[in-house]
Amino acid sequence: MILKKGTVLDNRYVIIDKIGAGGMAIVYKAQCKRLNRIVAIKVLREELLEDENFVEKFKAEAQQVASLVHPNIVNIYDVGQDGDTHYIAMEYIEGRTLKEIIQKVDQIEEKVALTIVYSIISALLSAHKNDIIHRDLKSKNIMINEDGIVKVADFGIAKATSSSTISMTTNAIGSVHYFSPEQAKGEAIDVRSDIYSLGIIMYEMFTKTLPFDGENPVNVALKHVTETVPKPSLINKTINPAVERIIIKATRREKENRYQTVLELEKEVETFLEINKKRSISDNEIFKKLTPVAPVEEPKQTDLEYISNEMAKKTNRERKMSYSRDEERSAENDTKLIVSAIITSLMIIGILLFGMLKYMNYMNEKIVTRIPNLIGIEYITAKENEKALGITLNLIGEEFNEDHEKGIIIDQD
């Protein structure tokens, strides 16, 4: 049943307009008469009311999630019932969904995308600490308000980690395009299912598409179970290898091979962004590039240049400029010497030409225009890209380093 404009729930919430619908509920914009504020009302669909156990579970979970207070989570104000209408009153967000932003922006700039991911991770950390799994994480459930603050919505349909999961049925909650393999198979789920779904969101942010599609939800679910998420670089040739590595690990089919906790994922993203953990992400000016939605114009960079430390890059550029000036001055001096030598003696010409050729060959063989900083990058990934970088990598040895995982470059020369 669709609620009409002007309908009053519990003599408190006046329906203003319908703003969305999902597989489990319909969402309305409403006015709270008691507190005189705008709220979002999520009303459970009629076809689900026949299952009394589901309704009770829905109410219990919504009340549990109402205890979550976090700047990156949409607040739940009230859980109620008016006749046969079961509803949740929650914070109303003026803004856009991440799905809308992905569709409208040519390409979300790398730092912006990862800062959004960092905020989502922060919300999940809070939920997981309270034994709550989102289980319906998708770009449509990520809101970015007019102040650029990321808000994760629909925790109201999450499931407590101590509860058993639902099986894959026509009433399965959430979008199958973001389902983890264990969700698709109807197996027990845990925090790693949310990590998989977040990995799919990252894939979507960097490729503007989803890894799996099919004629119907069942076909898509089967692909999650039987196929490996393709490398994002097959679509986005400019994706940073380090970012791709995070996405691939988060979306492993076997949950034992993914990040085991959101905290692990947070540390890797945090290291990549090189930001202070205590800093308020919501205050980051980088979000302003998404409001209003418009293509983000950033200077193009190569993948590995971005990973390099900014100060190191600046120093390298200054050294290269200095070297170029020295080389130009050296060339001018050599020219003068050659001219002088020609005038002085024809015999010296052969000697000078031979010397210059040897010098040029040496320069061509030994001097590399740009040597990127590969520290912190997976050796296999860097090796795969050495041709594109115009360099040759030689592994000189391996040693234990407590700050890096196995296979990561810790030093270069």
Side-chain angles (χ1 to χ4, degrees), residues 232-265:
S233 57
L234 295 176
I235 298 175
N236 180 0
K237 304 296 183 182
T238 64
I239 188 171
N240 194 305
V243 174
E244 181 174 60
R245 183 169 64 87
I246 293 174
I247 295 173
I248 290 173
K249 186 172 181 179
T251 56
R252 295 288 188 192
R253 270 188 299 169
E254 303 79 10
K255 55 186 178 182
E256 294 78 14
N257 295 331
R258 298 175 209 153
Y259 297 99
Q260 298 301 290
T261 65
V262 183
L263 186 59
E264 288 183 18
L265 178 56

Side-chain angles (χ1 to χ4, degrees), residues 97-114:
T97 67
L98 180 56
K99 186 77 169 182
E100 292 171 330
I101 292 172
I102 292 172
Q103 292 173 341
K104 293 182 180 180
V105 175
D106 287 340
Q107 181 63 60
I108 300 178
E109 195 267 328
E110 185 177 83
K111 287 184 180 179
V112 179
L114 289 178

Side-chain angles (χ1 to χ4, degrees), residues 156-201:
I157 61 173
K159 197 178 188 72
T161 56
S162 58
S163 302
S164 59
T165 187
I166 61 169
S167 59
M168 181 64 182
T169 67
T170 55
N171 289 327
I173 297 172
S175 172
V176 72
H177 288 88
Y178 302 83
F179 265 6
S180 65
E182 56 270 22
Q183 277 179 289
K185 290 188 289 186
E187 297 178 350
I189 63 174
D190 55 29
V191 296
R192 291 170 292 184
S193 296
D194 279 349
I195 291 173
Y196 182 94
S197 297
L198 179 53
I200 299 296
I201 291 174

Side-chain angles (χ1 to χ4, degrees), residues 148-337:
I149 299 175
V150 174
K151 293 277 190 176
V152 181
D154 274 358
F155 269 102
I157 61 173
K159 197 178 188 72
T161 56
S162 58
S163 302
S164 59
T165 187
I166 61 169
S167 59
M168 181 64 182
T169 67
T170 55
N171 289 327
I173 297 172
S175 172
V176 72
H177 288 88
Y178 302 83
F179 265 6
S180 65
E182 56 270 22
Q183 277 179 289
K185 290 188 289 186
E187 297 178 350
I189 63 174
D190 55 29
V191 296
R192 291 170 292 184
S193 296
D194 279 349
I195 291 173
Y196 182 94
S197 297
L198 179 53
I200 299 296
I201 291 174
M202 292 180 66
Y203 183 99
E204 184 181 14
M205 293 173 74
F206 283 93
T207 67
K208 293 180 66 65
T209 186
L210 290 165
F212 301 127
D213 203 358
E215 297 178 358
N216 55 62
V218 175
N219 288 341
V220 178
L222 286 174
K223 289 183 179 181
H224 282 290
V225 174
T226 60
E227 298 182 19
T228 300
V229 172
K231 289 185 176 182
S233 57
L234 295 176
I235 298 175
N236 180 0
K237 304 296 183 182
T238 64
I239 188 171
N240 194 305
V243 174
E244 181 174 60
R245 183 169 64 87
I246 293 174
I247 295 173
I248 290 173
K249 186 172 181 179
T251 56
R252 295 288 188 192
R253 270 188 299 169
E254 303 79 10
K255 55 186 178 182
E256 294 78 14
N257 295 331
R258 298 175 209 153
Y259 297 99
Q260 298 301 290
T261 65
V262 183
L263 186 59
E264 288 183 18
L265 178 56
E266 179 194 44
K267 287 179 179 179
E268 192 145 354
V269 173
E270 187 176 64
T271 300
F272 188 90
L273 286 172
E274 298 180 354
I275 59 177
N276 189 326
K277 194 172 184 180
K278 297 180 180 179
R279 182 179 178 182
S280 174
I281 302 302
S282 61
D283 292 335
N284 197 320
E285 290 296 317
I286 208 164
F287 279 127
K288 292 184 178 180
K289 296 180 181 180
L290 298 178
T291 309
V293 174
V296 179
E297 296 182 0
E298 289 288 326
K300 293 184 178 179
Q301 306 177 59
T302 61
D303 294 337
L304 292 175
E305 280 179 326
Y306 178 79
I307 300 174
S308 301
N309 181 276
E310 293 296 330
M311 292 303 296
K313 288 196 296 183
K314 181 179 178 180
T315 302
N316 287 338
R317 286 196 297 268
E318 291 173 349
R319 287 174 178 173
K320 291 171 189 173
M321 291 175 63
S322 176
Y323 179 83
S324 296
R325 288 193 294 269
D326 291 341
E327 189 178 24
E328 290 173 1
R329 286 194 291 269
S330 177
E332 291 176 359
N333 292 335
D334 288 342
T335 301
K336 292 178 180 179
L337 288 173

